[in-house]
Amino acid sequence: SQKIEQNSEALNIQEGKTATLTCNYTNYSPAYLQWYRQDPGRGPVFLLLIRENEKEKRKERLKVTFDTTLKQSLFHITASQPADSATYLCALGASGGSYIPTFGRGTSLIVHP
Amino acid sequence: SAVISQKPSRDICQRGTSLTIQCQVDSQVTMMFWYRQQPGQSLTLIATANQGSEATYESGFVIDKFPISRPNLTFSTLTVSNMSPEDSSIYLCSVPGQRSYEQYFGPGTRLTVT
C-alpha cells in the first residue's frame, strides 16, 4: 500500500542553523510533492511544490529537493528562527492532474533561541 | 489566495448527537474538500463537495455519517452524525488554489465527543 513517512520525533535545533526535514514514500509515483506548514490550532499553509521532473526548488530561506529514485524529499530551512517552529507536512499528488494530494503525518520542528 | 473561515472553531458534544460545521470561502470555487485530522495522524480526505452535485466520499466515509451540503460556490457544511468518541478530531475544509495544485485550508474545527 502507499505510504508516506515523516519522522514522528520532533526536530530540535538552535537558531541560525539549517533545519532539514525528510519525507520518504513507498509504492507511489507522485507527479508532484508539496510541503505545508501547520501551527497549533490552525490549518496547514502551503509552502512549496516541486514536480517529478524537478530536482530542487527554492523560496527565500526554504529549499526542497526531490529524488524520485530514492523516493525522498528533503525540506531545508536555512538560518532558522524560533518563528519557524511548527509542524511541517509533506503531501504527494498523483499523476493525471489530481488536485487532492495525500498527506504525511508531519514532523514537528522546534527552533531554540 | 483564498480566505476560509470555519464555524464553530471548537465544540464539545455528547455521544449520539450531531454537529454541523460551516465553511465559508471569500471567493467562488468549484471544489471544496473536507478533511479529518485525528491526533498524531495525517490529514485524511473525507469527501469532495462540488456545487450542484452530490459529494464524492472517500473509502471509509459514508453520507449517512457525514452528510455534506454545498448550496453555492462559497459555502459548504459537513455534519458529523450520531457522534462517538472516535469522531473526536479536527475537521478542516479546503479549496484548491488557482495554480500548482496547492490547497488553502480553513482554521479547522476541533471536535471533542464525550
Side-chain angles (χ1 to χ4, degrees):
Chain A
S1 62
Q2 296 174 342
K3 201 171 182 182
I4 301 172
E5 293 180 349
Q6 293 186 258
N7 197 335
S8 59
E9 289 185 17
L11 176 64
N12 287 272
I13 65 168
Q14 287 298 125
E15 182 176 10
K17 301 292 186 184
T18 296
T20 299
L21 305 175
T22 304
C23 176
N24 295 300
Y25 58 92
T26 56
N27 298 323
Y28 213 121
S29 295
Y32 63 89
L33 186 147
Q34 302 174 329
W35 284 89
Y36 290 78
R37 169 182 173 144
Q38 186 173 23
D39 292 282
R42 294 181 175 270
V45 175
F46 172 79
L47 296 175
L48 278 169
L49 176 144
I50 187 166
R51 298 179 188 274
E52 60 179 333
N53 60 347
E54 297 175 313
K55 296 293 185 186
E56 182 178 299
K57 192 74 87 62
R58 291 175 186 260
K59 179 182 176 183
E60 298 172 352
R61 294 186 295 112
L62 309 180
K63 185 179 83 171
V64 172
T65 64
F66 194 10
D67 189 327
T68 55
T69 300
L70 290 178
K71 297 186 183 298
Q72 180 181 81
S73 174
L74 299 178
F75 176 79
H76 306 272
I77 305 176
T78 58
S80 59
Q81 306 164 0
D84 295 326
S85 299
T87 297
Y88 292 86
L89 312 175
C90 77
L92 276 65
S95 57
S98 171
Y99 287 91
I100 308 173
T102 301
F103 286 83
R105 296 184 181 186
T107 298
S108 175
L109 171 66
I110 302 169
V111 182
H112 299 276
Chain B
S1 66
V3 177
I4 304 171
S5 59
Q6 286 185 233
K7 290 181 182 180
S9 59
R10 59 178 61 224
D11 207 342
I12 301 173
C13 302
Q14 292 200 343
R15 70 169 68 213
T17 62
S18 298
L19 176 71
T20 296
I21 302 168
Q22 299 178 7
C23 178
Q24 179 76 50
V25 188
D26 69 342
S27 57
Q28 294 185 338
V29 292
T30 303
M31 288 187 290
M32 293 178 76
F33 307 110
W34 285 99
Y35 285 86
R36 182 172 72 182
Q37 188 175 31
Q38 294 179 307
Q41 301 298 313
S42 61
L43 289 162
T44 302
L45 182 67
I46 297 171
T48 301
N50 291 319
Q51 196 269 335
S53 64
E54 293 286 330
T56 303
Y57 289 83
E58 298 298 305
S59 175
F61 298 96
V62 295
I63 188 171
D64 290 346
K65 177 67 175 176
F66 297 101
I68 288 171
S69 77
R70 184 78 203 276
N72 58 53
L73 290 173
T74 63
F75 187 79
S76 178
T77 67
L78 170 76
T79 299
V80 187
S81 302
N82 188 24
M83 288 184 284
S84 66
E86 292 72 34
D87 294 319
S88 297
S89 184
I90 298 173
Y91 292 86
L92 298 132
C93 65
S94 76
V95 301
Q98 297 293 328
R99 54 181 173 83
S100 298
Y101 304 115
E102 76 266 27
Q103 289 199 26
Y104 298 102
F105 286 85
T109 296
R110 182 179 292 273
L111 171 63
T112 302
V113 183
T114 60

